[in-house]
Amino acid sequence: MKILLAGGAGYIGSLLIPKLLEHGYEVGVIDLLWFGNHLPKEVKVIEKDLFDCQQADFEGYDQVIFLAGLSNDPMAEFSPAMNFISNGAQPSYLAYIAKLAGVKRFIYGSSCSVYGYTVNELYDEGSPVTCGYPYGISKLQGERGVIQMQDDNFSVIALRQGTVCGYSPRIRFDLIVNTMYKSCMVNGKVTVNNASIWRPLLDIRDATNAYLRAIQADQSISGVFNVASDNYTVGQVGDMVKDQVEALTGQKIAIEIKNIQDFRNYKVTWKKAKTVLGYEPKYTVSDIIADVHKHRDEYGDFEDDSYYNIRTFKKLKV
Ligand SMILES: NC(=O)c1ccc[n+]([C@@H]2O[C@H](COP(=O)([O-])OP(=O)(O)OC[C@H]3O[C@@H](n4cnc5c(N)ncnc54)[C@H](O)[C@@H]3O)[C@@H](O)[C@H]2O)c1
């Protein structure tokens, strides 16, 4: 089976692609390489803006996975117009040309950030989506745009991912657990911005398993699926990171609790993904830290701009 990864050279794609190769899939990548290319050498990477793609670029592929766009709140807020175009319109356009090209399935990397600020209820895919900030709204638009193209010959699966964390060859230190780890290593302390806020977290290895389950699902399956490893309060995450870094390094880590207002607060159930796709998470916050720490010699300067999407994005002047 041939799979095209749109935005496949990013954080998730750089761990997902080696896994797909391991499973015998043929892969192709179209990406602007904003964060470089950390993919295995044998992968065919076309450096190209996805907006410039036509039907012919997608011909011969069985499935397309969308991992592009602006992938966090700071980027979306820095460039709201580009955010709405890249996260809202772009996936719809790509699903449209994929369908014309005879692709059988389109998998959209969506986000639990569509849920917004919720009050202590476990949200499923039928729960209200109340986000009022650019990133969440645009991810929801992208999701709705692609889902409505689904029919008997064109399956569409949207994975609403929790905040992804852990090691990838294209590492990011702007994602909650990874940021806390970096802060322990650089400043000897964990900063908790708001201890009571809930977040579903997704170990990047669980994320790659979710994509694999979506790829392998029966052709009749389409729909929106929450995927997370577990739900935690930010306070819980801070304590777990502190304990694990102390255990791994023998260094004492301080903890700083702030009371910064957050506009996102949600916890989700992934029961539908388990029942329909066979997705089962395996990893905890301690596992994430252990994995990121295992690769510590690769990072060099933790403050390198390429580890922070917003810093790289501002320099790109796109
Ligand atoms: N990382 C997370 O915590 C998380 C959580 C929920 C959802 N998501 C979604 O999953 C997807 C992948 O996330 P990630 O962390 O791997 O993102 P990333 O920012 O690391 O990678 C995005 C990739 O897309 C490419 N790209 C962007 N616009 C492009 C264009 N017009 N043409 C060609 N290439 C383009 C970039 O060069 C980059 O390699 C995103 O759509 C994101 O919104 C991510």
Side-chain angles (χ1 to χ4, degrees):
M1 187 194 289
K2 270 187 91 176
I3 304 174
L4 175 67
L5 290 99
Y11 171 65
I12 296 172
S14 297
L15 198 77
L16 173 59
I17 285 173
K19 189 177 187 109
L20 297 183
L21 296 175
E22 216 178 273
H23 281 75
Y25 296 112
E26 272 183 74
V27 302
V29 171
I30 300 178
D31 196 298
L32 278 171
L33 305 180
W34 286 346
F35 310 102
N37 181 357
H38 306 269
L39 294 167
K41 287 199 175 25
E42 67 265 33
V43 177
K44 184 180 164 212
V45 180
I46 298 173
E47 188 174 352
K48 180 172 179 173
D49 193 326
L50 288 159
F51 278 118
D52 295 332
C53 287
Q54 308 288 332
Q55 182 183 328
D57 292 291
F58 285 25
E59 264 156 15
Y61 287 101
D62 302 290
Q63 300 199 11
V64 172
I65 303 181
F66 179 87
L67 294 173
L70 309 194
S71 51
N72 68 8
D73 291 295
M75 294 167 95
E77 278 151 30
F78 180 72
S79 193
M82 186 176 171
N83 168 67
F84 281 102
I85 294 167
S86 301
N87 291 357
Q90 181 170 257
S92 309
Y93 171 62
L94 298 183
Y96 170 71
I97 57 173
K99 194 169 175 175
L100 289 179
V103 169
K104 291 283 170 226
R105 168 165 287 148
F106 191 91
I107 301 174
Y108 175 63
S110 190
S111 167
C112 287
S113 66
V114 299
Y115 290 120
Y117 202 96
T118 71
V119 187
N120 281 336
E121 263 178 71
L122 210 51
Y123 268 39
D124 66 22
E125 296 80 355
S127 300
V129 278
T130 58
C131 57
Y133 38 86
Y135 180 68
I137 300 168
S138 67
K139 292 303 286 185
L140 187 60
Q141 286 182 331
E143 195 184 283
R144 288 181 172 161
V146 297
I147 284 286
Q148 66 109 14
M149 270 176 260
Q150 175 262 329
D151 63 24
D152 287 350
N153 297 314
F154 190 63
S155 153
V156 181
I157 292 180
L159 297 176
R160 281 186 186 162
Q161 304 161 99
T163 302
V164 185
C165 300
Y167 171 78
S168 160
R170 167 354 215 181
I171 190 76
R172 290 179 60 177
F173 286 114
D174 57 359
L175 299 157
I176 172 168
V177 180
N178 296 13
T179 304
M180 286 183 178
Y181 169 79
K182 185 256 335 205
S183 171
C184 290
M185 301 305 281
V186 175
N187 306 316
K189 89 174 171 193
V190 169
T191 303
V192 172
N193 286 335
N194 187 327
S196 28
I197 289 290
W198 282 95
R199 276 287 185 290
L201 298 184
L202 179 59
D203 183 303
I204 190 164
R205 294 164 292 183
D206 283 333
T208 61
N209 279 332
Y211 282 98
L212 197 59
R213 295 285 79 83
I215 290 165
Q216 294 174 349
D218 187 83
Q219 180 64 28
S220 63
I221 293 170
S222 284
V224 176
F225 297 87
N226 289 340
V227 281
S229 299
D230 211 342
N231 298 295
Y232 301 93
T233 67
V234 178
Q236 276 181 304
V237 178
D239 286 342
M240 285 187 265
V241 173
K242 170 179 155 58
D243 290 349
Q244 178 67 311
V245 174
E246 285 181 347
L248 289 167
T249 64
Q251 301 293 314
K252 189 86 193 127
I253 300 296
I255 192 149
E256 178 188 23
I257 311 281
K258 295 185 173 172
N259 197 12
I260 298 175
Q261 184 58 35
D262 201 317
F263 49 85
R264 295 213 249 145
N265 183 31
Y266 40 80
K267 46 188 165 182
V268 303
T269 168
W270 51 92
K271 198 169 156 205
K272 183 180 170 195
K274 181 177 162 126
T275 311
V276 180
L277 302 178
Y279 163 74
E280 290 216 58
K282 286 198 211 145
Y283 300 102
T284 65
V285 169
S286 300
D287 298 327
I288 296 174
I289 293 297
D291 199 37
V292 175
H293 189 66
K294 197 168 85 190
H295 294 273
R296 63 193 175 282
D297 293 338
E298 293 174 29
Y299 309 139
D301 180 6
F302 278 105
E303 292 302 337
D304 192 293
D305 286 349
S306 66
Y307 300 153
Y308 303 87
N309 277 19
I310 186 62
R311 293 189 203 165
T312 306
F313 189 56
K314 281 181 176 172
K315 286 201 297 195
L316 286 170
K317 299 191 186 74
V318 283

